[in-house]
Amino acid sequence: MSLSMDGINSVYNNYNTDTASTSANRLEETLNSDLSTATEDELMDVCKDFEAYFVEQMFKAMQRMVPESDNDVSASTRQLQDYYKEQMTQTMAEQVTEGEGLGIAQMLYEQMKRNYGLE
């Protein structure tokens, strides 16, 4: 069984379109929902999701600062590189925010607890 480059491009394009909007949309939906009835664990999960999203956007901004190489690669190869770079960036952002993370989630959590009267 072989996978043509057109097939890979199709998978990448579908993934790229879905992923770009999915993480932001999911976070926006969660933040727009009524969190006043959320448990402390659910509230912390929302805060950690926000921190991971923030770190991911920060990593992407840093990546844009690095000049692209002028290597002559095909469009399909470039798409695969972009796909794996996106996956790596998301994974790195999740790993950075595990445990104590950067502290952003904890600060948001404390503020949200005060706002929702959970203290």
Side-chain angles (χ1 to χ4, degrees):
M1 180 173 117
S2 68
L3 183 61
S4 71
M5 290 309 270
D6 290 336
I8 292 172
N9 288 340
S10 173
V11 169
Y12 170 77
N13 289 332
N14 289 340
Y15 169 82
N16 198 28
T17 302
D18 292 344
T19 302
S21 61
T22 301
S23 60
N25 288 342
R26 188 182 73 230
L27 181 61
E28 185 175 348
E29 286 173 13
T30 302
L31 292 174
N32 287 334
S33 67
D34 182 16
L35 295 172
S36 62
T37 59
T39 65
E40 289 187 15
D41 287 340
E42 290 171 335
L43 205 54
M44 182 53 111
D45 288 342
V46 169
C47 294
K48 287 221 172 254
D49 287 346
F50 175 80
E51 184 177 40
Y53 180 76
F54 177 80
V55 170
E56 180 181 340
Q57 296 308 306
M58 189 174 59
F59 284 163
K60 287 178 180 179
M62 288 189 289
Q63 287 172 347
R64 286 191 296 271
M65 299 296 287
V66 177
E68 295 278 331
S69 66
D70 291 337
N71 293 346
D72 228 7
V73 295
S74 67
S76 58
T77 301
R78 175 79 61 206
Q79 287 179 331
L80 283 173
Q81 289 173 341
D82 291 345
Y83 170 80
Y84 287 112
K85 185 165 60 172
E86 177 77 22
Q87 290 294 307
M88 180 189 68
T89 302
Q90 288 177 355
T91 301
M92 286 173 44
E94 290 169 5
Q95 289 176 350
V96 165
T97 59
E98 284 180 4
E100 291 184 27
L102 301 177
I104 296 170
Q106 186 63 40
M107 287 189 296
L108 285 171
Y109 173 72
E110 295 299 328
Q111 183 63 46
M112 290 176 83
K113 275 180 33 177
R114 283 191 293 275
N115 289 351
Y116 291 119
L118 296 176
E119 291 186 298

